[in-house]
Amino acid sequence: IIVSPVHHNSPAEETQQLGEELRQVISAFVREVRKATGTRRNSQHETLELLENSGPLSVAELARLRGVKHQSMRLVAAELEQQQLVVRQKNPADSRAQLIRLTDDAHRQLAAARALRSEWISRELHLKLDKASQEDLRHGLAALRKLLDTGL
């Protein structure tokens, strides 16, 4: 009888596998939530969320933070302005420059999209996870918070 050796992954390999699995699961989960709620991401939505989190920014700052060319961001900002989701305002630090800021309508739309996603997730938790699995998820969230190191 020939017994093949059992291969045990090193701790580094196991951590690498865990990291990849975490990335795949989170990506798939986010895609599913956005698909199920009709709140898919695009360049306009990402720009709105960035403005919501950062406050008014110049087109140059938006382009830098999003990692896109100034011209591309200028076009996105113009589209958002046409949809009345952003307005331009004078930069208090430099009266020659303008900042892009969200309108109240944009704030409402972003809040409504977040609420849709939260409601969908809550419903799925209730339908698909028993109390023990929900508790496991709470522990997983605590671990993710440590990875983020933000105290969320």
Side-chain angles (χ1 to χ4, degrees):
I1 296 176
I2 299 175
V3 177
S4 59
V6 176
H7 176 65
H8 293 286
N9 291 336
S10 71
E13 289 171 324
E14 288 181 11
T15 302
Q16 178 69 30
Q17 288 173 344
L18 180 61
E20 177 57 19
E21 187 176 359
L22 178 63
R23 184 197 64 74
Q24 289 176 0
V25 169
I26 289 174
S27 293
F29 182 75
V30 168
R31 278 192 305 274
E32 182 62 25
V33 171
R34 289 194 177 279
K35 180 179 152 195
T37 60
T39 58
R40 296 177 191 237
R41 292 182 67 85
N42 59 37
S43 61
Q44 291 183 5
H45 188 83
E46 289 175 11
T47 301
L48 292 173
E49 285 185 337
L50 182 57
L51 287 167
E52 183 179 47
N53 293 327
S54 301
L57 296 169
S58 69
V59 170
E61 291 169 319
L62 282 167
R64 181 180 56 77
L65 291 170
R66 291 240 9 262
V68 299
K69 293 183 175 161
H70 186 277
Q71 176 65 16
S72 299
M73 183 51 62
R74 196 174 63 73
L75 292 173
V76 169
E79 291 169 1
L80 292 170
E81 191 172 20
Q82 189 174 19
Q83 296 170 39
Q84 299 181 345
L85 296 174
V86 300
V87 293
R88 295 175 190 271
Q89 67 182 38
K90 291 225 185 262
N91 185 340
D94 179 359
S95 62
R96 298 166 295 161
Q98 291 185 325
L99 298 176
I100 308 294
R101 75 167 173 81
L102 293 180
T103 63
D104 291 342
D105 190 37
H107 281 288
R108 281 190 293 275
Q109 286 185 26
L110 289 168
R114 268 194 307 279
L116 273 174
R117 291 190 298 270
S118 291
E119 289 167 13
W120 185 87
I121 292 167
S122 296
R123 193 169 42 255
E124 292 298 299
L125 290 172
H126 176 74
L127 293 172
K128 296 180 178 178
L129 298 183
D130 61 18
K131 291 294 180 192
S133 294
Q134 288 182 27
E135 191 58 34
D136 289 344
L137 183 57
R138 281 186 186 85
H139 292 293
L141 290 173
L144 285 173
R145 284 186 190 97
K146 286 181 184 178
L147 291 176
L148 289 173
D149 196 28
T150 62
L152 286 176

